[in-house]
Amino acid sequence: MALLLWKAFDFFEVSQVKLGDDETRSFFENNEVSSVCSGSDSLFLGSDNGYVRIVGPSWKVVRSFLAHETGRITHMRQVEGTSLLVTVSEDLSNEPVLKVWALDKPVKKTGLPTCLSTTNINNGRKQFPISAFTALDDLSQLAVGFANGAVTLIRGDLIHDRGTKQRVVYESEEPITGVEFVSDPKLTTLFVATTSKLLKLVISGRGHGQPPRTVEDSGCAAGCMTVNKKTGDIIVVRDDAVYYYTADGRGLCFANDGATTLVSTFEDYVALVSPPTSAKNGASDNMRRRFGGATTESLFSAAVFTMVDPQLQIVSHSETLISPVKALFQIWGDLFILTQDGKIHRYHEKSLQQRLELLYQRNLFPLAISLAQKTGMDMPQQNVIYRKYGDHLYQKGDYDNAMAQYIKAIDNTEPSQVIRKFLDTQRIHNLIEYLEELHQHHKATADHTTLLLNCYAKLKDVEKLEKFIKSEGDLNFDLETAINMCRQGGYYEQAAYLATKHGESDLVVDILIEDSKRYAEALDFIWHLDAESAYSCLMKYARVLLEHCPDSTAELFIQYYTGKYSPKVRSSTVETVQAPSGNRLTFGAANAVQTVQNLTNLLPLPYMGTSAIPSPVVQGNSQPTVADETASQGRGNDSFKSYKPPPPRSAFSSFIDHPDEFIVFLEACLESDSLGESDTADIYTTLFEMYLHKAKDGKGVQKEEWELKAKKLIEGHDLPIENSNVLLLSHLSDFQDGTTLVKEQSGLLFDIFRSYTSAKDTKGAIKALRKYGPQEPQLYPAALAYFTSDSRILDEAGPEELSSVLKKIDEDGLMAPLQVIQTLGSNAVATMGMIKPYLHETITRERREIATNKRQIASFRKETEQKRVEIAELGSKPAVFQAQRCPGCGAMLDLPVVHFLCKHSFHQRCLKVEAGAGEEGDKTECPVCATNNSAVRAMKRGQDERAERHDLFRDALDKSDERFKTVAQWFGQGVMGVNGL
């Protein structure tokens, strides 16, 4: 594209430099400048008389010195960041002279800068002017091109004047128009331009010593070759185009409008100076005629100065100069032009914002974006441009491209500003695109998610909906909102997929039960969850699941509460079968439910044995169904963690209105070994209640079966169920066996009998009397009173039963005969004929006892009288001892002999008692009677000790059936404090 076709702008502010003083102004106006260079914050001017003048930022000559005594300074080079200055002077009568100056080292005598080295440039003694000059930054190598086509390379240490070597590296018949170095750490290449060729020569590194290689068979004019110091590219300007070259060859290029006399670079711009072109408009023709044709051309159009940006392909500045350009240089951040008339023009680049405003005015937003990116503008500011561009396109009605720009600016744009513009139904696709990008950039709120899903629903675009909710990576939307919107729109499968993918098990079950009404699949899904999640879902929907899947739900309860629960592992094979053409997912809830095919097989459930299909086919004639399914339940080695079963009481409320399943659950829990005492008591009590409930509702055999189960449950000892609960439940359910059994276990036998008598149940009373009478003898007196309380009861019991009771009372002495007579005589039910055998037997027995007691009394009195007589005789009459033999040795008695009052006599030696033993001999006891005497004394001591133990007396009295007899016995033992005989 030619420069004339590039868009032109005015990115530079042009001003003429005001020189600081008359001396400087005179120097420029006299056109004494022969060469210009800049560097180290100073401007260096070479003159025809060999002087070098240094100009500071104030545009005053701050220093001048004579660099060359003869010749004019045609080329200069200042090494940036140092005080080194290279000057080259030419005098056609002699070889060119090159000097290196140290500006910071003045000579003490003269004060002039120190000349570090002086070198004559060799051209084979041919007197031709220098047409091109360049040097490396370290001045280790310099290249000089001559008008005769020779290029001299200078090598050496010019700074320390250690000698140099010069060599003509290239010769041709065409004049040299440019030389430039391209250097990197490994290779240094010299580019040489002639009027007809462009060559390159390796002067150091790999390939050194090889002859020059032709890069292109086209050269350039003098001053039309430069180097871009930022990129290292060689820029060559020809009449047709501007070319870029690197060490590898030619690069990009852009068209030129014609001849060019001078080229330079400034920042990213290429500055071109061209000769004036012929006028192309009427105004120019009138001006030319007024001032005299060609003369006017030379007056008003001496040169054309153009600055282009190759990257943006724009003309950044263009103007016509009325004086030819003598030099281009850049310093102090600006570009300057020195013209032949001694004037200096400053070109200051406008600020980025100003440049952008120029582009905004012309609606060149793509160019503004490129400019911002090239200058490294931060993204928030670039987004402003994108937003402006989007607004411009929106106003033009180009909504698609406008949305593309809004999306690029999405990070720094308030979404509502864009969304409001695209709420129209016709622009819903653009709105969807923007909302999707908001979610991708994690900038969407719950409202944005709601709006996006509503848009999908309005378009009935299930494919996009599924793509959105099944997107990979982190969650980029509000999960709760998305699930709710899918449910509201009837997309139950998608809602369940989202809930499952993000671990929202409760929501999955909620969708399956409340929306899809697929209770069996919901239960199966719960069975695949871990223990904690399964428990929460099961408790939340237990009643609903028991209503529709009672057996399976009860089994799940049993497995969980007995500690045997482990998530199922499912493996399924899915086939594709033909579906009716009308069975497609639509926005309506009814159709959506029809297309949800076995959701638990389609969702990525935990503990799945194989991978599952995430979503069914939505459009088309086929849909997945389950063809083969095998489910196994087992505890994984690593994936499943043990859990502590909750107390069974927490599940009781779930089984309301489901007594059969409840009983199965309670019976299974009762067999578990993991129950605590309180849990066991709860289960026993509740199960007993449920048995009675079923018995109460049942009839006939069924009722008896349930009552038998209830009775077996409470039989035995150490049951955890409280008796009060059993009594209460039995009473409420009119379960007599339960009441009886509890009273029996509690030892309340009299209460059992009394309950029968209160109910006038004579048979039950007789049965209880026979069963509990041996354990509770007092039942017989109560039975006697009950049997004789009413003639009908007595007739029902019969005379035999009454006789049996009277016999038991008589045998066990439960009642005194007088008490029996009083009991029977309280009413007129019993007759004398009924009790005549009892009275006869009682009177006969008592008569026998009286006779026996009288005989025993007479015997005791006789024996007592005998003992008294013996005691009296021992105290008043001498004792006669007639024993002839010693009981100890059996020999005949001889003196000394010891006689005892018991009529026994012993040898003194047999008793081992010495004569004259005194009181110790009196204490000697008869060996024959010693045993009996010891027993009597022990008995006496025992009686004395027992006489002090009144607690034993009271205990014996409480346990005795005949208390008077007990009192007499203890009285005889001295309990009343009477000394015995």
Side-chain angles (χ1 to χ4, degrees):
M1 180 184 291
L3 293 180
L4 291 176
L5 300 179
W6 283 8
K7 291 181 175 60
F9 302 93
D10 193 5
F11 284 175
F12 287 85
E13 296 175 350
V14 184
S15 61
Q16 184 174 338
V17 175
K18 293 183 179 181
L19 301 177
D21 54 14
D22 295 337
E23 180 185 355
T24 306
R25 188 179 304 107
S26 174
F27 176 71
F28 280 101
E29 290 178 352
N30 293 333
N31 201 14
E32 298 178 3
V33 179
S34 60
S35 62
V36 180
C37 76
S38 62
S40 300
D41 205 32
S42 296
L43 178 64
F44 301 89
L45 304 173
S47 61
D48 295 335
N49 55 9
Y51 274 85
V52 174
R53 291 174 174 81
I54 304 175
V55 179
S58 61
W59 288 98
K60 293 182 181 179
V61 176
V62 297
R63 189 178 183 184
S64 65
F65 63 93
L66 181 62
H68 297 271
E69 295 180 354
T70 60
R72 58 194 295 265
I73 300 175
T74 57
H75 297 86
M76 289 192 300
R77 176 69 182 272
Q78 202 279 330
V79 181
E80 186 68 36
T82 68
S83 61
L84 301 177
L85 177 66
V86 179
T87 61
V88 177
S89 67
E90 291 185 75
D91 181 4
L92 293 180
S93 60
N94 299 303
E95 291 180 339
V97 178
L98 182 147
K99 292 184 179 182
V100 179
W101 302 88
L103 302 179
D104 59 344
K105 295 179 181 179
V107 179
K108 293 182 179 180
K109 293 182 178 180
T110 61
L112 299 176
T114 302
C115 181
L116 300 179
S117 62
T118 301
T119 304
N120 293 328
I121 301 175
N122 181 20
N123 187 21
R125 299 185 181 277
K126 298 177 182 179
Q127 302 299 322
F128 286 92
I130 297 175
S131 57
F133 172 78
T134 188
L136 292 176
D137 290 339
D138 59 358
L139 302 182
S140 61
Q141 299 188 82
L142 299 89
V144 181
F146 293 92
N148 66 337
V151 177
T152 300
L153 181 64
I154 304 173
R155 290 182 177 179
D157 190 351
L158 296 173
I159 298 175
H160 300 92
D161 196 17
R162 295 177 180 174
T164 60
K165 293 182 179 179
Q166 299 185 31
R167 180 169 64 93
V168 177
V169 295
Y170 177 74
E171 289 183 310
S172 71
E173 297 179 356
E174 300 166 349
I176 303 299
T177 56
V179 289
E180 292 291 348
F181 282 116
V182 175
S183 178
D184 59 44
K186 296 182 179 180
L187 186 69
T188 301
T189 305
L190 175 64
F191 281 82
V192 179
T194 67
T195 55
S196 62
K197 287 185 180 180
L198 178 65
L199 308 98
K200 67 176 182 179
L201 176 66
V202 178
I203 58 175
S204 66
R206 185 175 181 182
H208 172 62
Q210 295 180 358
R213 295 178 56 187
T214 300
V215 176
E216 190 142 12
D217 291 331
S218 297
C220 64
C224 292
M225 177 178 177
T226 187
V227 62
N228 188 333
K229 294 184 178 180
K230 282 187 175 182
T231 62
D233 295 338
I234 299 297
I235 300 175
V236 177
V237 182
R238 303 189 182 99
D239 293 348
D240 60 339
V242 178
Y243 297 90
Y244 283 73
Y245 295 91
T246 65
D248 298 328
R250 192 171 79 175
L252 62 86
C253 66
F254 58 89
N256 192 12
D257 289 335
T260 301
T261 58
L262 190 60
V263 63
S264 181
T265 60
F266 174 68
E267 300 296 337
D268 294 328
Y269 301 102
V270 176
L272 302 173
V273 178
S274 305
T277 57
S278 59
K280 298 180 180 180
N281 54 61
S284 298
D285 292 340
N286 294 334
M287 184 68 69
R288 194 163 50 250
R289 283 193 300 270
R290 179 178 298 179
F291 289 94
T295 306
T296 304
E297 183 78 21
S298 62
L299 287 175
F300 292 97
S301 184
V304 176
F305 175 62
T306 306
M307 295 188 69
V308 298
D309 188 334
Q311 186 174 347
L312 299 181
Q313 295 187 348
I314 61 173
V315 177
S316 301
H317 180 77
S318 180
E319 69 172 321
T320 301
L321 302 177
I322 61 175
S323 177
V325 176
K326 192 170 186 179
L328 282 172
F329 59 90
Q330 52 180 309
I331 191 173
W332 303 313
D334 293 329
L335 180 68
F336 295 88
I337 291 180
L338 175 62
T339 58
Q340 291 286 1
D341 57 3
K343 295 180 180 180
I344 300 175
H345 301 275
R346 180 201 305 266
Y347 294 85
H348 177 72
E349 186 179 25
K350 294 180 179 179
S351 66
L352 177 60
Q353 191 60 38
Q354 290 176 318
R355 285 177 279 164
L356 290 175
E357 289 296 334
L358 293 174
L359 297 176
Y360 297 158
Q361 294 173 6
R362 297 170 61 175
N363 295 327
L364 298 176
F365 294 99
L367 192 57
I369 293 171
S370 300
L371 175 61
Q373 292 174 345
K374 189 191 75 167
T375 56
M377 178 183 284
D378 56 12
M379 285 307 301
Q381 293 179 331
Q382 288 188 38
N383 290 337
V384 173
I385 305 175
Y386 286 124
R387 192 159 55 246
K388 288 179 179 291
Y389 189 23
D391 294 340
H392 170 68
L393 294 174
Y394 182 85
Q395 292 175 359
K396 292 174 59 178
D398 189 354
Y399 302 118
D400 293 340
N401 290 326
M403 179 55 70
Q405 302 308 315
Y406 287 135
I407 289 175
K408 292 179 181 179
I410 199 169
D411 290 333
N412 301 99
T413 303
E414 173 58 38
S416 60
Q417 297 178 0
V418 179
I419 292 174
R420 281 196 296 265
K421 296 180 179 181
F422 291 88
L423 290 178
D424 191 287
T425 306
Q426 297 178 353
R427 304 167 194 166
I428 192 171
H429 293 284
N430 300 123
L431 181 58
I432 289 175
E433 183 182 6
Y434 187 75
L435 292 172
E436 288 175 345
E437 287 295 328
L438 278 179
H439 286 83
Q440 289 295 328
H441 286 76
H442 299 279
K443 294 179 65 63
T445 63
D447 293 336
H448 297 147
T449 303
T450 302
L451 182 57
L452 178 59
L453 295 178
N454 278 329
C455 291
Y456 287 148
K458 189 162 188 175
L459 295 178
K460 298 182 181 181
D461 194 341
V462 181
E463 183 178 354
K464 275 195 173 184
L465 174 61
E466 290 195 346
K467 182 180 179 181
F468 173 72
I469 66 175
K470 296 177 183 179
S471 57
E472 300 295 333
D474 297 335
L475 186 66
N476 55 13
F477 54 85
D478 185 77
L479 178 62
E480 183 179 358
T481 302
I483 293 176
N484 290 337
M485 290 303 301
C486 288
R487 295 179 67 180
Q488 292 175 13
Y491 296 99
Y492 303 134
E493 179 189 352
Q494 285 77 5
Y497 172 85
L498 280 176
T500 304
K501 180 180 179 181
H502 299 284
E504 299 293 338
S505 303
D506 291 345
L507 283 176
V508 176
V509 178
D510 188 60
I511 294 167
L512 289 172
I513 292 177
E514 296 187 6
D515 298 333
S516 302
K517 309 299 181 185
R518 306 186 74 86
Y519 306 104
E521 293 173 12
L523 183 63
D524 187 64
F525 178 83
I526 294 174
W527 216 314
H528 286 81
L529 301 176
D530 61 271
E532 182 177 357
S533 302
Y535 177 72
S536 62
C537 295
L538 180 62
M539 297 308 295
K540 184 176 180 181
Y541 299 102
R543 294 187 184 182
V544 178
L545 293 174
L546 281 169
E547 182 69 27
H548 296 86
C549 307
D551 296 337
S552 300
T553 306
E555 177 63 22
L556 179 55
F557 267 103
I558 292 171
Q559 293 292 325
Y560 196 91
Y561 277 86
T562 56
K564 299 177 182 178
Y565 174 81
S566 61
K568 284 185 177 181
V569 178
R570 178 187 299 276
S571 60
S572 60
T573 303
V574 178
E575 293 180 350
T576 300
V577 298
Q578 294 298 320
S581 59
N583 189 13
R584 295 185 181 181
L585 185 60
T586 64
F587 184 69
N591 290 336
V593 172
Q594 294 177 1
T595 57
V596 180
Q597 297 293 330
N598 203 345
L599 184 59
T600 54
N601 292 321
L602 304 175
L603 297 175
L605 301 174
Y607 306 103
M608 291 292 284
T610 59
S611 60
I613 297 176
S615 176
V617 177
V618 178
Q619 297 180 350
N621 295 325
S622 64
Q623 60 183 16
T625 61
V626 176
D628 181 27
E629 176 182 305
T630 59
S632 62
Q633 186 174 1
R635 194 180 298 274
N637 294 331
D638 300 322
S639 60
F640 181 74
K641 296 182 179 178
S642 60
Y643 67 99
K644 182 180 179 181
R649 173 174 287 276
S650 61
F652 289 176
S653 61
S654 302
F655 287 91
I656 295 176
D657 299 331
H658 298 280
D660 294 332
E661 289 77 15
F662 193 22
I663 290 174
V664 173
F665 169 72
L666 292 173
E667 290 176 344
C669 290
L670 199 59
E671 297 175 359
S672 176
D673 299 331
S674 60
L675 296 177
E677 293 183 3
S678 60
D679 295 338
T680 305
D682 290 341
I683 292 178
Y684 264 94
T685 304
T686 310
L687 185 58
F688 181 68
E689 181 182 2
M690 295 306 301
Y691 283 157
L692 296 182
H693 174 73
K694 293 293 292 183
K696 189 175 181 180
D697 294 341
K699 295 181 180 180
V701 178
Q702 188 178 12
K703 180 176 182 179
E704 293 179 359
E705 290 178 354
W706 288 115
E707 288 182 345
L708 182 61
K709 284 189 174 184
K711 187 175 181 180
K712 287 183 178 180
L713 184 66
I714 59 176
E715 286 180 346
H717 300 281
D718 300 328
L719 293 176
I721 186 172
E722 295 183 4
N723 292 335
S724 59
N725 292 335
V726 177
L727 290 174
L728 177 61
L729 294 173
S730 299
H731 174 72
L732 295 176
S733 301
D734 195 19
F735 180 52
Q736 188 65 34
D737 290 347
T739 304
T740 302
L741 189 58
V742 171
K743 292 180 178 179
E744 180 182 334
Q745 292 173 350
S746 303
L748 304 176
L749 306 180
F750 203 93
D751 290 345
I752 298 174
F753 180 79
R754 189 163 44 238
S755 64
Y756 285 115
T757 60
S758 299
K760 304 298 182 180
D761 185 0
T762 305
K763 291 183 179 180
I766 295 173
K767 184 179 178 181
L769 180 64
R770 291 175 180 176
K771 184 175 182 180
Y772 308 122
Q775 304 175 38
E776 186 65 34
Q778 291 301 320
L779 291 179
Y780 291 99
L784 179 63
Y786 172 67
F787 289 157
T788 59
S789 63
D790 191 295
S791 58
R792 287 177 296 180
I793 296 175
L794 185 59
D795 293 341
E796 187 177 356
E800 295 81 6
E801 194 66 33
L802 179 62
S803 300
S804 175
V805 170
L806 289 173
K807 182 179 180 182
K808 185 65 175 177
I809 292 174
D810 184 39
E811 288 176 355
D812 295 345
L814 302 177
M815 296 176 69
L818 183 58
Q819 291 176 325
V820 174
I821 296 301
Q822 290 176 345
T823 301
L824 297 177
S826 61
N827 52 56
V829 176
T831 63
M832 287 299 296
M834 295 179 181
I835 64 172
K836 184 178 181 180
Y838 167 74
L839 293 176
H840 180 270
E841 181 67 24
T842 301
I843 293 172
T844 303
R845 184 179 64 253
E846 287 187 354
R847 285 177 178 176
R848 285 196 301 267
E849 289 180 356
I850 291 172
T852 302
N853 289 337
K854 287 181 178 180
R855 287 192 298 269
Q856 191 173 8
I857 291 171
S859 175
F860 286 161
R861 286 178 177 175
K862 184 179 180 181
E863 184 179 355
T864 301
E865 189 63 29
Q866 290 177 355
K867 294 296 181 183
R868 287 178 178 174
V869 172
E870 289 180 1
I871 292 172
E873 290 179 353
L874 288 175
S876 61
K877 294 181 180 181
V880 179
F881 301 97
Q882 299 177 353
Q884 297 179 357
R885 291 183 180 274
C886 175
C889 62
M892 295 299 290
L893 291 173
D894 56 2
L895 298 175
V897 178
V898 178
H899 299 282
F900 295 96
L901 292 178
C902 60
K903 304 301 183 178
H904 295 121
S905 301
F906 289 87
H907 292 115
Q908 186 177 7
R909 62 177 179 275
C910 292
L911 295 176
K912 298 181 181 181
V913 177
E914 297 180 358
E919 294 181 358
E920 293 181 359
D922 294 340
K923 295 181 179 180
T924 304
E925 187 176 8
C926 173
V928 176
C929 300
T931 303
N932 292 333
N933 294 337
S934 298
V936 172
R937 285 194 295 271
M939 187 180 298
K940 179 59 177 173
R941 286 194 302 271
Q943 289 178 352
D944 293 340
E945 292 175 357
R946 288 169 63 86
E948 301 297 330
R949 296 289 303 276
H950 298 287
D951 56 336
L952 296 178
F953 170 67
R954 286 193 297 270
D955 184 64
L957 192 62
D958 293 337
K959 296 180 179 179
S960 175
D961 295 333
E962 298 181 7
R963 295 190 175 188
F964 183 80
K965 183 178 180 180
T966 303
V967 172
Q969 289 176 352
W970 280 84
F971 179 80
Q973 295 174 3
V975 74
M976 303 299 178
V978 180
N979 294 328
L981 297 178

